[in-house]
């Protein structure tokens, strides 16, 4: 009888515990992006208003997180450690040693003259003061349908993707929070918001959204 009561209580409490764990991850994600937004704005202040590109050619490709380390803005975490460069709510969860698998930074828009080509993945630098209210500095991301990188977080967000909304989009803003309805992003002023799909579907926002 006692065991049965305990089992009933556990079944009642488990959903609440899972919801609390999910909310904690969402809060941690927003705190991570707040810190990253501050770093990106500091970087722009040091480099004549230019934001850090998603990918940089130096002596080989450098993703934004590795470049921040090389310029002494912050260190990359040890393998297996949680860090502000990753959302705790999506794979790989903790740093896997690959700076490709982090929050996503937009590639920029070459057709609109946003900046100079900095990487052979089509990543363009952007000027902070040229961003609109629809532009983001970084956000939840994923890359899917592409071999071994399937469903991992992506260090850059494409301005055009090869997939379809809710389907097989590549390097896309990912609406993983609040029941796959919201994506956390840091905006041009460094503030953080949980945005819905209509935030990125306005005007020249060409990101496809991956539903799950």
């Amino acid at each position: 009888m006692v065991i049965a009561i305990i089992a009933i209580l556990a079944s009642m409490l488990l959903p609440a515990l899972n919801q609390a764990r999910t909310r904690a991850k969402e809060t941690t994600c927003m705190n991570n992006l707040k810190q990253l937004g501050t770093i990106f704005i500091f970087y722009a202040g040091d480099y004549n208003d230019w934001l850090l590109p998603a990918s940089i050619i130096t002596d080989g490709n450098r993703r934004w997180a590795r470049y921040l380390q090389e310029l002494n803005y912050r260190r990359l975490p040890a393998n297996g450690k949680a860090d502000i460069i990753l959302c705790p709510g999506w794979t790989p969860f903790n740093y896997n040693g690959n700076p490709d698998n982090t929050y996503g930074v937009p590639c920029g828009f070459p057709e609109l003259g946003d900046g100079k080509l900095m990487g052979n993945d089509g990543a363009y630098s952007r000027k902070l003061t040229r961003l609109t209210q629809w532009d983001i500095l970084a956000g939840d991301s994923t890359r899917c349908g592409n071999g071994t990188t399937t469903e991992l977080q992506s260090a850059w967000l494409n301005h055009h993707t090869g997939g379809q909304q809710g389907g097989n989009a590549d390097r896309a803003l990912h609406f993983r929070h609040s029941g796959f309805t919201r994506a956390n992003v840091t905006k041009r002023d460094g503030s953080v918001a949980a945005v819905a799909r209509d935030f990125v579907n306005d005007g020249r926002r060409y990101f496809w959204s991956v539903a799950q």
Side-chain angles (χ1 to χ4, degrees), residues 75-86:
R75 294 177 179 272
L76 284 173
N79 289 1
K81 296 294 184 180
D83 193 77
I84 66 169
I85 64 174
L86 300 108

Side-chain angles (χ1 to χ4, degrees), residues 41-192:
I41 290 172
F42 283 163
Y43 176 95
D46 292 338
Y47 287 90
N48 196 30
D49 197 42
W50 289 105
L51 285 163
L52 185 72
S55 176
I56 304 96
I57 290 181
T58 53
D59 185 17
N61 277 349
R62 296 290 187 274
R63 302 299 180 235
W64 64 266
R66 179 166 289 171
Y67 201 56
L68 283 181
Q69 173 170 291
E70 293 177 357
L71 294 177
N72 295 316
Y73 283 88
R74 72 177 317 276
R75 294 177 179 272
L76 284 173
N79 289 1
K81 296 294 184 180
D83 193 77
I84 66 169
I85 64 174
L86 300 108
C87 174
W90 201 255
T91 54
F93 305 111
N94 298 321
Y95 188 60
N96 63 358
N98 188 347
D100 280 354
N101 306 137
T102 63
Y103 285 114
V105 170
C107 283
F109 296 83
E111 68 273 24
L112 295 174
D114 279 356
K116 300 177 180 178
L117 181 65
M118 301 294 290
N120 64 8
D121 290 301
Y124 284 73
S125 56
R126 302 175 296 161
K127 281 216 166 188
L128 181 61
T129 53
R130 293 190 61 184
L131 301 188
T132 72
Q133 63 178 324
W134 304 104
D135 288 293
I136 65 174
L137 304 182
D140 288 324
S141 62
T142 192
R143 185 177 187 181
C144 62
N146 210 346
T148 58
T149 59
T150 296
E151 297 183 354
L152 294 176
Q153 296 181 54
S154 171
W156 67 98
L157 298 170
N158 282 341
H159 45 277
H160 299 287
T161 69
Q164 296 181 350
Q165 183 170 346
N168 203 25
D170 184 36
R171 300 169 182 168
L173 194 67
H174 189 203
F175 298 86
R176 66 176 60 112
H177 299 297
S178 300
F180 292 102
T181 64
R182 295 289 187 273
N184 290 336
V185 300
T186 179
K187 302 167 75 175
R188 62 175 178 169
D189 62 354
S191 64
V192 177

